[in-house]
Amino acid sequence: MTSSEAQVAQAWVIDTNIVLDLWLFEDPATIPLRAALQSGAISHLATASMRDELERVLAYPHLVKRMARSNIQAQEILSRFDEYLLAAEPAAKAACTCKDPDDQKFIDLAVAHAVPLLSKDNAILCMKKRLFQSGVVLNPSEMPAL
């Protein structure tokens, strides 16, 4: 394969709940996403504050119990996050504002880079039309070709 034929990973913004579904809960709905990440078809565009949020969330008591039951350590989940990471600087505030300020950073990054955003957060889901108008496809139904 020549370098011009090499596949370039498509950047996607993936919110914390989806990251948990991927690497902690192993939700069957995330199998195509996991395969796309592992094949290199998708990379996870994220900022340091997004990783910090994941690290903070992994310390929540109910998730600590779940990790213990699943025999997984928080560091393993953070390592998986890092493995597929395409590091980005925080983005400027997007024109569309989320009701939940904790979710705004995901929107800002997706809008700034015009990349898909994966989320199941109701505060983001209700913004689908506004996000689309800003160049962001929320929860695309198709993964890039593997």
Side-chain angles (χ1 to χ4, degrees):
M1 179 184 307
T2 68
S3 60
S4 63
E5 294 172 323
Q7 182 177 0
V8 176
Q10 180 183 359
W12 288 35
V13 174
I14 305 170
D15 82 3
T16 304
N17 285 321
I18 302 293
V19 169
L20 292 172
D21 285 348
L22 269 169
W23 307 121
L24 174 59
F25 300 117
E26 296 183 351
D27 182 342
T30 65
I31 290 171
L33 175 60
R34 188 176 309 116
L37 285 164
Q38 292 172 334
S39 74
I42 292 176
S43 61
H44 179 183
L45 185 66
T47 63
S49 68
M50 292 172 182
R51 188 185 191 282
D52 292 346
E53 176 178 299
L54 175 61
E55 189 169 17
R56 186 182 74 249
V57 166
L58 288 170
Y60 290 175
H62 69 284
L63 293 180
V64 169
K65 288 178 186 175
R66 176 59 185 253
M67 287 184 287
R69 281 195 309 271
S70 300
N71 198 28
I72 190 167
Q73 301 294 317
Q75 189 53 51
E76 291 175 69
I77 296 168
L78 291 167
S79 292
R80 289 177 182 162
F81 181 97
D82 294 342
E83 184 176 351
Y84 303 104
L85 175 66
L86 178 59
E89 291 299 315
K93 167 73 178 70
C96 43
T97 300
C98 185
K99 292 177 186 174
D100 183 347
D102 289 336
D103 293 326
Q104 189 65 44
K105 63 185 164 283
F106 298 99
I107 292 164
D108 296 342
L109 191 62
V111 169
H113 293 271
V115 298
L117 171 59
L118 293 178
S119 178
K120 61 182 190 178
D121 189 299
N122 286 333
I124 293 177
L125 294 176
C126 69
M127 298 178 63
K128 186 172 186 165
K129 185 176 179 181
R130 287 182 285 159
L131 287 168
F132 185 76
Q133 291 168 342
S134 295
V136 173
V137 176
L138 179 62
N139 297 332
S141 58
E142 306 243 341
M143 293 289 130
L146 303 178

